[in-house]
Amino acid sequence: MSDLHSWVGLLLGWVLYAMFLTGTVSYFKDELSQWMRPELPAQSGVPDQAMVAQRVADELVALVPGSPQWSLRLPDARNNSVYAFWRTAGAAPGQRAFGEGNFDPATGQTVSSRATLGGDFFYRFHFQFHYMPVVWGRWIAGIAAMFMLVAIVSGVITHKKIFVDFFTFRWGKGQRSWLDAHNALSVFGLPFHAMITYTGLVTLMALYMPWGQQAGIKTAADRQQLNAELSAFIQPGKPSGEAAPLASIEEMVRHAQERWGRDGVGRVTATHPGDAAARVAVARGDGGRVSMSPQYLEFEGTTGKLLAVHEGVGPAAETRGVLYALHLGRFSDSVTRWLYFLVSLAGTAMVGTGLVMWTVKRRQKLPDPARPHVGFHVVERLNIASIAGLSVAMAAFLWANRLLPETLADRANWEIHSFFIVWALTLLHGVLRPAKKAWVEQLWLATALLALLPVLNAATTQRPLWRSLAEGDWVFIGMDLMCWALAALHAVLAVRTLRHQPKTRPARKPAPETVKQPVNKPAGGAVLREG
Amino acid sequence: MTSVAGRVRSVGPLVSRIAAALFGGYALAALASVAVLALPMSTPQAVLTGEMASFLVYAAAVIWVFAVRSALRAWAGLLVVAAPLLLAAWSVW
């Protein structure tokens, strides 16, 4: 069972580490998106959703006439832009059938800010990666999540004395310390790690496990029923072909506001806007309820007449809605959100310490530690690039957001390319340098990039820290302070790794070969302490 | 020839277990997700229940495969569980 744990943990460990870390920061993806669009003014309060909806709807009517369906996400306490996506009218097969954009709530027009994917990049990368078809990415993420689930269950079985281990911590004892740290991090967040892994699978379960649906859903009515249980996206029926303008979207959203509160509306979806057969769905937001199950009002598009109220789904669908919501954490207030972030960070550290432990453990068994076998080498180098290197690459992504010229063609994608180019360079660096030096250098680089990011922000935007403080702009204040906190974390890791001497012999096996270990022992017993 | 046979004998059971875990486990989970449809509830609810339960079935199957004493037992266990599920799934497919 212990072998099963090590191997499922290792095989997709690097993928899992990247998924965990990018997923962790995604709990602040909306704030990150705001920071990455510094041209948009700080949102002092949530604007009236009904008016915003009307503004953006008018804009969409002009921007994508004849679109069979569009949907927009209204601003809320954490969002100062409106995200919309739409089906493209009359898209031939093979053409892009969808479009998307961000809109300014104040004007209704496309946001006049630098082109960026914002925090959505980390969010999407977290479950579908990049540079590959979305479905492949999601399958890889699913397989990794399944491995994680097995790693968690086998881990619990392996560490039988799990709660005793939690209170046992042996500092500076090499492998023992790594193991203790790994155990402590895992046990501390165990319910969370199990929940987040399982619910992650649930978010995409129709992709991974389509068989029941294929066997059971045979009629259009069943299919429609299933869709209704899962989302507030009304299905576009057939257009009548008769032109008719949409009734007041503002009125429809007002109706929903009366029901769910002023800021309680999440989405507005319209099918066949401009056609007599138009339908509009106004869906409740995710805030304040631990469920992603759809709740929405359905209106006749041309008259604004309320056709139906959808506020309940079946027990299984509600269970799924709750599991989904638990994964995304969008219901949370800021305290819960920070808890999510911290426990999730502990999960990242759990995967990271597990990965490093694999090398620490095996190094002691190497016949000649100076010249380890290829497999060991590969694991060691991949660890450097995927742990320290990922920090560098993620910081570089934020640097690119501030440094790339605003007029650059395909700018949003170049931010992403920068991330991957830097990440690839850290791998190259990790391969070329001695392991310990590579760890230390990359950790210092991450420290520098993070520590200087607020400086770069002050130099390149109108929103330096002193102004954010004066204006009470908590998104920017939080971002600057968080950068420094993370810089400090990386600095501590770098110093500990640098100072680390493999002086402690493993308790069990004081064999001579472990004594003459080379200095390039990666981080042994150091990185974990910060977890 | 003998060395090849030796290799098969030493690596074979492990490979067999890995296959049982990866593919046998998935097949069992998929089967369970279909078998749920035989339960007396509405089809969409059953579909969702099956999807949610399938990952737990999969995880349990993998653990089983590596927990038992031999690869043969691992496969046998999967088949024993699969049989009734297959019957249930058969009735709805």
Side-chain angles (χ1 to χ4, degrees):
Chain A
M1 200 49 57
S2 148
D3 281 347
L4 176 65
H5 180 72
S6 308
W7 284 104
V8 293
L10 182 75
L11 279 176
L12 287 169
W14 301 290
V15 179
L16 282 165
Y17 183 86
M19 285 170 69
F20 248 98
L21 187 56
T22 51
T24 300
V25 301
S26 293
Y27 285 121
F28 287 108
K29 91 178 167 72
D30 294 333
E31 286 77 8
L32 214 48
S33 291
Q34 289 196 39
W35 186 87
M36 291 178 77
R37 295 191 181 93
E39 294 84 2
L40 279 179
Q43 184 172 263
S44 48
V46 181
D48 180 33
Q49 295 182 317
M51 281 159 71
V52 174
Q54 184 66 59
R55 259 178 226 136
V56 180
D58 289 342
E59 181 67 15
L60 283 174
V61 167
L63 194 70
V64 285
S67 162
Q69 183 172 36
W70 50 247
S71 177
L72 46 95
R73 188 210 55 208
L74 294 173
D76 54 34
R78 303 176 50 230
N79 264 308
N80 66 344
S81 71
V82 179
Y83 169 76
F85 78 89
W86 53 83
R87 291 178 204 252
T88 317
Q95 247 181 330
R96 261 181 71 85
F98 290 92
E100 59 180 349
N102 280 281
F103 297 82
D104 188 336
T107 63
Q109 284 162 359
T110 311
V111 291
S112 49
S113 79
R114 63 196 66 199
T116 177
L117 212 57
D120 283 328
F121 168 62
F122 291 138
Y123 174 65
R124 291 184 195 178
F125 177 85
H126 157 70
F127 61 88
Q128 63 191 25
F129 309 105
H130 201 73
Y131 297 132
M132 66 173 87
V134 165
V135 171
W136 292 17
R138 292 180 176 190
W139 266 105
I140 295 173
I143 293 166
M146 202 58 230
F147 271 61
M148 183 79 208
L149 194 59
V150 170
I152 288 176
V153 177
S154 57
V156 171
I157 299 173
T158 307
H159 307 302
K160 284 194 200 75
K161 296 180 296 172
I162 200 154
F163 291 97
V164 180
D165 282 348
F166 185 47
F167 295 103
T168 314
F169 204 96
R170 287 152 284 194
W171 294 98
K173 291 275 199 300
Q175 192 202 328
R176 285 291 351 153
S177 300
W178 280 102
L179 185 58
D180 290 348
H182 182 68
N183 289 346
L185 286 164
S186 309
V187 176
F188 165 59
L190 186 63
F192 178 85
H193 306 323
M195 177 278 281
I196 213 72
T197 307
Y198 174 60
T199 55
L201 287 161
V202 167
T203 60
L204 291 171
M205 64 187 184
L207 172 69
Y208 304 140
M209 215 33 93
W211 313 110
Q213 197 170 333
Q214 285 185 9
I217 307 285
K218 287 175 178 133
T219 64
D222 270 351
R223 198 170 310 123
Q224 215 164 22
Q225 173 64 22
L226 183 63
N227 282 331
E229 304 270 302
L230 299 183
S231 84
F233 281 106
I234 47 181
Q235 296 304 309
K238 281 216 162 33
S240 70
E242 187 187 330
L246 276 178
S248 167
I249 297 283
E250 186 177 342
E251 285 304 313
M252 300 181 209
V253 177
R254 288 247 177 275
H255 202 113
Q257 282 177 318
E258 276 167 30
R259 213 176 177 91
W260 302 317
R262 183 184 171 275
D263 302 338
V265 183
R267 266 184 184 282
V268 177
T269 304
T271 60
H272 300 303
D275 186 275
R279 289 277 182 283
V280 175
V282 179
R284 189 173 177 178
D286 306 322
R289 61 183 185 120
V290 190
S291 176
M292 297 283 282
S293 295
Q295 290 193 8
Y296 65 103
L297 307 180
E298 196 177 341
F299 296 92
E300 190 169 54
T302 52
T303 61
K305 196 180 87 176
L306 181 63
L307 294 176
V309 177
H310 303 263
E311 281 196 317
V313 293
E318 191 57 51
T319 307
R320 170 206 169 260
V322 170
L323 293 175
Y324 202 150
L326 281 174
H327 190 83
L328 271 71
R330 286 190 192 145
F331 57 86
S332 56
D333 55 20
S334 49
V335 175
T336 322
R337 183 165 298 275
W338 276 103
L339 280 176
Y340 253 88
F341 178 79
L342 290 173
V343 188
S344 197
L345 206 55
T348 312
M350 165 183 77
V351 179
T353 51
L355 281 172
V356 174
M357 200 160 65
W358 194 93
T359 56
V360 171
K361 215 164 146 182
R362 264 157 199 75
R363 184 181 295 280
Q364 294 163 352
K365 295 179 188 156
L366 288 175
D368 178 6
R371 265 173 285 122
H373 54 84
V374 179
F376 183 88
H377 226 69
V378 168
V379 172
E380 189 176 45
R381 303 309 160 129
L382 279 173
N383 274 353
I384 298 171
S386 64
I387 297 175
L390 183 58
S391 291
V392 174
M394 287 172 78
F397 176 69
L398 300 178
W399 274 71
N401 175 264
R402 289 295 190 258
L403 289 182
L404 290 179
E406 289 189 33
T407 51
L408 181 71
D410 209 17
R411 187 182 185 286
N413 274 326
W414 273 105
E415 284 183 358
I416 296 170
H417 299 326
S418 311
F419 169 84
F420 285 105
I421 291 168
V422 171
W423 204 5
L425 289 175
T426 63
L427 180 60
L428 187 68
H429 174 260
V431 170
L432 295 179
R433 300 285 287 163
K436 181 174 174 176
K437 286 205 170 77
W439 273 109
V440 173
E441 285 162 4
Q442 293 194 18
L443 287 169
W444 276 127
L445 183 58
T447 306
L449 287 175
L450 286 163
L452 293 175
L453 198 56
V455 178
L456 177 72
N457 175 55
T460 55
T461 72
Q462 305 299 312
R463 296 163 82 171
L465 181 59
W466 54 89
R467 188 169 300 164
S468 309
L469 280 169
E471 290 170 5
D473 178 358
W474 281 102
V475 170
F476 272 63
I477 297 172
M479 187 72 188
D480 282 356
L481 296 183
M482 199 62 213
C483 282
W484 282 332
L486 289 173
L489 175 70
H490 283 85
V492 174
L493 296 178
V495 169
R496 287 219 174 252
T497 311
L498 182 68
R499 282 207 195 131
H500 176 79
Q501 297 296 327
K503 55 177 182 285
T504 51
R505 287 168 297 158
R508 268 179 282 166
K509 204 171 52 171
E513 70 256 34
T514 54
V515 178
K516 60 173 187 196
Q517 266 180 18
V519 278
N520 66 347
K521 184 171 180 173
V527 175
L528 74 141
R529 279 171 201 158
E530 278 60 49
Chain B
M1 196 60 201
T2 45
S3 77
V4 171
R7 249 189 113 75
V8 167
R9 211 167 297 138
S10 65
V11 189
L14 181 63
V15 173
S16 169
R17 274 197 215 226
I18 291 173
L22 283 178
F23 305 112
Y26 185 82
L28 194 69
L31 203 54
S33 77
V34 176
V36 172
L37 295 172
L39 292 176
M41 53 171 136
S42 81
T43 307
Q45 296 297 315
V47 166
L48 294 173
T49 306
E51 286 175 352
M52 285 187 286
S54 67
F55 304 112
L56 304 177
V57 173
Y58 199 170
V62 175
I63 297 296
W64 162 263
V65 163
F66 285 96
V68 291
R69 240 178 301 134
S70 69
L72 206 62
R73 267 169 190 268
W75 279 108
L78 293 184
L79 290 176
V80 165
V81 181
L85 290 177
L86 195 61
L87 275 178
W90 198 265
S91 68
V92 291
W93 194 281

